[in-house]
Amino acid sequence: MRKGRRPVAACVCVTAAGAELGYFPLADPGLLPMQGVGGATAVLFALALVGCAVHLWVSPARAAYSGGAAIALGVLSYPCANLGGFLLGMLLALTGGALALAWQPGPGAAPECAPGEGQRR
């Protein structure tokens, strides 16, 4: 996996998954109450995936957390949210989560604190 300062490909895939999952339920917001639980769940999963992408971008040192969450949301979107956005949203979430888990910070990145060491107040 290419090392860099930010997991750009993972952010793009996870954002695209959120956009795809949320597009169809929000294409006509007036019909959202008629879509039922599947439409509301798709919107919530879309917001959560976009939140994962923002977390990946803002805090790249903790990419494993967002990657794991994106994979879990992608797997859960299959039964809960319109077959994972017609499978495309699910596949994008799984790909982005896998890229986030495989990403490593480059040599110019700030070092993380060692376990047990943190800022003391």
Side-chain angles (χ1 to χ4, degrees):
M1 182 93 244
R2 181 174 168 252
K3 295 182 179 185
R5 297 184 69 180
R6 295 193 189 279
V8 177
C11 288
V12 169
C13 284
V14 173
T15 303
E20 201 279 330
L21 272 172
Y23 174 73
F24 288 109
L26 294 177
D28 189 5
L31 296 177
L32 191 58
M34 289 189 281
Q35 293 177 10
V37 176
T41 305
V43 171
L44 291 176
F45 280 174
L47 290 173
L49 283 169
V50 171
C52 285
V54 169
H55 185 260
L56 275 169
W57 189 260
V58 171
S59 181
R62 299 183 187 269
Y65 295 117
S66 294
I71 289 174
L73 288 167
V75 169
L76 285 174
S77 72
Y78 182 74
C80 296
N82 304 326
L83 295 176
F86 305 114
L87 297 178
L88 182 61
M90 180 186 73
L91 292 176
L92 283 169
L94 294 177
T95 303
L99 287 172
L101 287 175
W103 179 81
Q104 296 176 358
E112 291 186 41
C113 294
E117 295 179 9
Q119 295 179 350
R120 300 189 192 262
R121 296 179 203 216

